Amino acid sequence: MSEGPTRTDAYRSGQVYAVLEVLQRLSPGGGQRLSEEGHRSRTAGRPLGHLREALALAGKHYMEARRVHPVGAVDTIFGLLPDAMPVAREFPGSLDPASRSEFLRGREDQIAVIEKKTGVR
């Protein structure tokens, strides 16, 4: 996971998105919405509403994923959420193009961390 100046709120929002995306994908019936390129692009532009909605379902996806996947891996993924949350304790309302790139980089970096720690992509 990156530290220092690269961990802007946009970057952290991307990290949160990655955790929620993987939890949703592991959850039976969770759907693939967050894995869709269009949804990812919309969220990178306006994280606040999209991430609030996805975060509200995180507990449900977490519990469902624990029923069918190794508990340790699912717990590790879910446990990454607190450190990824934006410092401002709120997701940005909208992001400019440079910040959107930070969001997407944060997502990719977090996906790599998840894969390294759990073997889940």
Side-chain angles (χ1 to χ4, degrees):
M1 180 173 1
S2 297
E3 295 297 333
T6 60
R7 287 183 42 115
T8 62
D9 281 348
Y11 181 90
R12 286 173 175 268
S13 294
Q15 289 180 294
V16 169
Y17 188 93
V19 171
L20 297 173
E21 177 183 353
V22 172
L23 285 173
Q24 184 185 67
R25 192 173 342 111
L26 294 176
S27 172
Q32 296 295 316
R33 184 171 174 211
L34 295 179
S35 295
E36 294 171 358
E37 181 64 36
H39 192 274
R40 185 178 314 125
S41 179
R42 286 188 300 278
T43 304
R46 302 189 62 79
L48 179 64
H50 295 287
L51 287 176
R52 272 188 182 171
E53 179 184 323
L55 195 56
L57 296 171
K60 175 183 178 242
H61 294 309
Y62 165 70
M63 293 305 292
E64 289 176 356
R66 288 182 99 229
R67 288 189 207 125
V68 295
H69 296 283
V71 171
V74 176
D75 285 355
T76 297
I77 295 164
F78 190 75
L80 294 170
L81 270 176
D83 186 51
M85 294 300 286
V87 175
R89 299 186 186 200
E90 187 61 90
F91 300 110
S94 63
L95 296 175
D96 61 33
S99 295
R100 288 178 193 164
S101 293
E102 281 293 302
F103 176 96
L104 296 172
R105 190 168 63 81
R107 178 194 168 268
E108 286 301 315
D109 288 353
Q110 190 74 339
I111 292 283
V113 167
I114 291 168
E115 187 171 18
K116 181 179 177 183
K117 288 186 174 196
T118 67
V120 174
R121 171 113 177 121

